[in-house]
Amino acid sequence: MANVAVVGAQWGDEGKGKIVDFLSNRADVVVRFQGGHNAGHTLVINGIDYKLALLPSGVVRTGKFSIVGNGVVVDPWAFLAELDKVAAKGVTVTPESLLLADSAHVILPVHAALDKAMEAARGKSSIGTTGRGIGPCYEDKVARRGVRLCDLREPALLKEKIEAMMLHHNALLKGLGQETMDPAKIYDDLMAIAPKVLPFVGVAWKALEAARLAGKKILFEGAQGALLDVDHGTYPYVTSSNTVASQAAAGSGMGGSSVGYVLGLAKAYTTRVGSGPFPTEQVNEIGETLGQRGHEFGTNTGRKRRCGWFDSILVRQCVIQGGIHGIALTKLDVLDGFKEVKICTGYKLDGKTIDYFPSGQTDQARVEPVYESMEGWSDTTRGARSWAQLPANAIKYVKRIEELIGAPVTLLSTSPERDDTILMHDPFI
């Protein structure tokens, strides 16, 4: 099966945009299968930055078909704004090149209002959401009161659904001390943009089945990272969807056997946005240096990312739980010039060494990293496109990571540029 799923093997921000773009010239179809417009992907092509959120990375390549699957939650206003944004940079997206699954759920203005109100109510215990309504929309989906894109074709039903939904949400807003929202205005605003959105809406699973039967190569593009998975991540400091590769099947409408090769992404160090445990975080000069060199700010939110050493325990756990076949290791060049680099190889908890990250919230906050130190390298790795161009100590570092995580480094990224990539194995073969 010549399909590939690209998923994050840390807390997101691992460089999926570039890797998906790099692989998309080998694919015919690129599919988003979870998340929403909270996950930013940055692509650098011929010196031009493309900052995508909801749109699959395949939209920037001519001749590729992109699909936003049923597992994604869609803010229609953000969708149209993103179309305009990429159009301003010369990328034209049409219904012939992009399909939105008709069963995907719709993010409404009330979802963002609830997201922000709930975060404010949590105070010091805030989760660190983007405030874009992703979580509340998924809550409505599970509670069976959500609005789907297919509902935009049925105005009477849509109006009825919004009125029923707002009985719940306005009671919640009022309880949180916030202003209630008019369901009629939400309905009118949604119907006003429906004619612009509906041409893109269709039956995604049928399109994917047709692509499969035609022997097309499909690339599944994940958002966030496995450590933010609602089941397998650092709960409750997680996103509201499953981010592991098995979700590619459920979130696109294809069978589980269709996912194919699973490529996990990990930085050569570790970053995290928002609240939650982070055993190897460096709140010091090392962390600041990593953040400055790696330009560690959120693509969509601009939030500063927390930085620390590579955690092999967490990545190995993601490899096992996510069925990852190989790793794309990114941002190796950020470590250039460090005299010493460290890798977390275990944790101390209550005086005992453990080789996994515990599920309990209290234990996660208490574990202490056990480090292995390695000699750094002074020569640059930036822009390297072959092993021969890498310093010996950089190669040793990569090889040690492979040993510790139990998976090979399939691709090695040495700059944001698409072609500054060392490909050891083509996942599509």
Side-chain angles (χ1 to χ4, degrees):
M1 176 60 65
N3 297 335
V4 176
V6 175
V7 294
Q10 291 167 319
W11 279 293
D13 309 311
E14 303 97 346
K16 286 182 290 294
K18 171 194 167 169
I19 299 301
V20 168
D21 177 60
F22 177 80
L23 293 173
S24 64
N25 66 344
R26 296 165 174 79
D28 303 296
V29 183
V30 182
V31 187
R32 274 284 308 275
F33 58 86
Q34 51 78 217
H37 66 302
N38 55 337
H41 291 172
T42 300
L43 289 72
V44 181
I45 303 172
N46 296 325
I48 301 175
D49 286 5
Y50 298 91
K51 298 184 184 300
L52 304 179
L54 179 68
L55 296 177
S57 297
V59 298
V60 300
R61 280 191 180 271
T62 304
K64 307 298 177 182
F65 188 57
S66 295
I67 293 177
V68 175
N70 57 275
V72 179
V73 287
V74 178
D75 182 323
W77 293 274
F79 167 67
L80 294 175
E82 194 168 347
L83 292 185
D84 291 340
K85 187 177 177 181
V86 297
K89 294 196 173 186
V91 177
T92 302
V93 181
T94 69
E96 285 68 46
S97 62
L98 174 68
L99 173 66
L100 304 177
D102 58 1
S103 54
H105 279 248
V106 178
I107 299 174
L108 300 174
V110 68
H111 292 132
L114 281 169
D115 207 352
K116 294 170 184 175
M118 288 299 296
E119 275 289 82
R122 293 184 186 107
K124 293 182 180 180
S125 300
S126 66
I127 294 171
T129 75
T130 59
R132 300 189 176 193
I134 310 297
C137 184
Y138 275 117
E139 287 180 35
D140 277 350
K141 176 179 179 177
V142 175
R144 295 166 293 185
R145 59 172 171 260
V147 168
R148 301 188 296 172
L149 287 172
C150 56
D151 296 330
L152 301 186
R153 299 193 184 104
E154 303 182 58
L157 177 62
L158 176 64
K159 187 174 184 180
E160 181 182 317
K161 282 192 169 188
I162 291 175
E163 288 174 349
M165 174 194 293
M166 292 307 295
L167 286 174
H168 176 274
H169 289 330
N170 273 335
L172 187 53
L173 284 171
K174 187 174 182 180
L176 291 168
Q178 303 294 319
E179 291 186 11
T180 58
M181 301 182 74
D182 182 5
K185 184 177 187 313
I186 293 175
Y187 170 80
D188 290 341
D189 290 347
L190 195 53
M191 289 305 299
I193 65 166
K196 296 180 180 180
V197 176
L198 282 173
F200 292 91
V201 177
V203 186
W205 67 266
K206 282 184 66 68
L208 284 166
E209 174 65 1
R212 185 187 71 83
L213 293 174
K216 302 288 188 181
K217 294 180 179 180
I218 301 169
L219 183 62
F220 299 95
E221 177 182 11
Q224 289 104 15
L227 295 174
L228 293 175
D229 186 281
V230 70
D231 286 304
H232 304 294
T234 50
Y235 191 90
Y237 301 100
V238 293
T239 193
S240 299
S241 61
N242 289 111
T243 61
V244 293
S246 54
Q247 178 62 20
S252 66
M254 295 194 79
S257 61
S258 299
V259 174
Y261 188 96
V262 180
L263 180 67
L265 270 80
K267 285 175 181 169
Y269 51 102
T270 310
T271 64
R272 176 165 201 168
V273 171
S275 305
F278 186 170
T280 65
E281 182 176 13
Q282 299 295 299
V283 187
N284 51 30
E285 187 179 345
I286 291 172
E288 287 296 320
T289 300
L290 290 171
Q292 291 170 10
R293 290 185 183 178
H295 305 289
E296 297 297 351
F297 296 91
T299 299
N300 285 322
T301 63
R303 290 189 296 177
K304 185 178 180 180
R305 297 173 186 146
R306 300 154 64 190
C307 299
W309 294 118
F310 187 87
D311 191 327
S312 70
I313 299 300
L314 286 176
V315 176
R316 184 179 66 192
Q317 205 156 308
C318 293
V319 167
I320 294 170
Q321 293 177 330
I324 291 171
H325 297 103
I327 288 285
L329 193 67
T330 64
K331 292 197 169 184
L332 180 65
D333 56 298
V334 174
L335 297 180
D336 292 352
F338 277 96
K339 292 182 179 180
E340 179 187 56
V341 290
K342 293 184 178 182
I343 301 175
C344 174
T345 58
Y347 302 124
K348 286 281 189 182
L349 181 63
D350 296 329
K352 297 180 180 179
T353 300
I354 59 174
D355 62 354
Y356 68 97
F357 197 55
S359 298
Q361 192 173 341
T362 302
D363 286 345
Q364 288 183 349
R366 290 170 55 234
V367 296
E368 298 177 8
V370 176
Y371 288 116
E372 177 179 302
S373 297
M374 299 184 68
E375 187 179 347
W377 53 92
S378 56
D379 294 336
T380 184
T381 63
R382 188 174 181 83
R385 298 184 181 182
S386 71
W387 280 105
Q389 294 176 298
L390 295 177
N393 284 344
I395 295 174
K396 290 179 182 177
Y397 181 75
V398 174
K399 291 297 183 183
R400 184 58 178 147
I401 284 176
E402 289 182 321
E403 293 172 359
L404 290 168
I405 67 174
V409 172
T410 301
L411 293 94
L412 187 64
S413 174
T414 57
S415 96
E417 288 291 341
R418 175 196 290 166
D419 294 327
D420 289 343
T421 305
I422 302 172
L423 180 65
M424 277 70 79
H425 169 69
D426 189 338
F428 279 113
I429 296 176

